[in-house]
Amino acid sequence: GVVWAGRPQHTNDRNRSVPLPQLLALLRKPGIRFVGLQKGQGTDQVGQLPDGIDLLNVGDALNDFTDTAACLAHMDLVVTVDTAVAHLAGAMGRPVWMLVPFIPDWRWGMDGMRTPWYPTMRLFRQPKLKDWATVVDRMARALPAALGLGATPDSESERP
């Protein structure tokens, strides 16, 4: 499952949301089907993806958290920015990777890959302001191992 944008009215949305095309390094991984859980703002970005990306966005068909939770229950992994979906997946104990901006919300602290809030959540932090490319590259390298596809896990630290 993938969520790339939060609610535009959020005071820090410009820093926490990621344009979907910036996730291409992750979305180009062969043999992996991605399910977009994006609702409303940002769904139009699916049309900007190049051919060959296996992404089906079902977000606008999700009417409430019950629908979203039912969908999350079938995901091997949820990759998301800091949204309600991140919290729901974490509360459900689902494996969730969250893209964290350089200056994060207080809940996530300033460093580290883990959060005391959700034991199944891994934080992928920007090493510098607006640098989503490094975050997405780390995720793309770690994804095959996380899904049991045989690659070695990413052992790099979260912040240089």
Side-chain angles (χ1 to χ4, degrees), residues 102-120:
F102 184 68
I103 305 294
D105 183 84
W106 65 270
R107 290 169 188 85
W108 315 119
M110 292 303 292
D111 55 29
M113 296 172 28
R114 298 290 175 188
T115 172
W117 303 104
Y118 308 115
T120 60

Side-chain angles (χ1 to χ4, degrees), residues 2 6 10 17 26 33 50 65 68 91 97 103 105 110 119 122 126 129 133 136-137 144 150:
V2 182
H10 187 280
S17 291
L26 184 68
R33 172 166 289 153
F65 284 127
T68 305
W97 289 359
I103 305 294
D105 183 84
M110 292 303 292
R122 180 174 174 189
Q126 281 184 333
L129 195 61
V136 173
D137 182 61

Side-chain angles (χ1 to χ4, degrees), residues 92-160:
M92 291 175 62
R94 302 300 304 152
V96 57
W97 289 359
M98 192 172 76
L99 296 96
V100 179
F102 184 68
I103 305 294
D105 183 84
W106 65 270
R107 290 169 188 85
W108 315 119
M110 292 303 292
D111 55 29
M113 296 172 28
R114 298 290 175 188
T115 172
W117 303 104
Y118 308 115
T120 60
M121 181 179 281
R122 180 174 174 189
L123 305 175
F124 287 80
R125 298 175 181 275
Q126 281 184 333
K128 61 185 177 190
L129 195 61
K130 307 244 184 238
D131 181 6
W132 288 121
T134 299
V135 175
V136 173
D137 182 61
R138 275 190 210 129
M139 286 182 154
R141 284 183 285 133
L143 186 61
L147 297 177
L149 301 176
T152 57
D154 179 19
S155 61
E156 291 183 36
S157 65
E158 285 299 294
R159 239 181 241 261

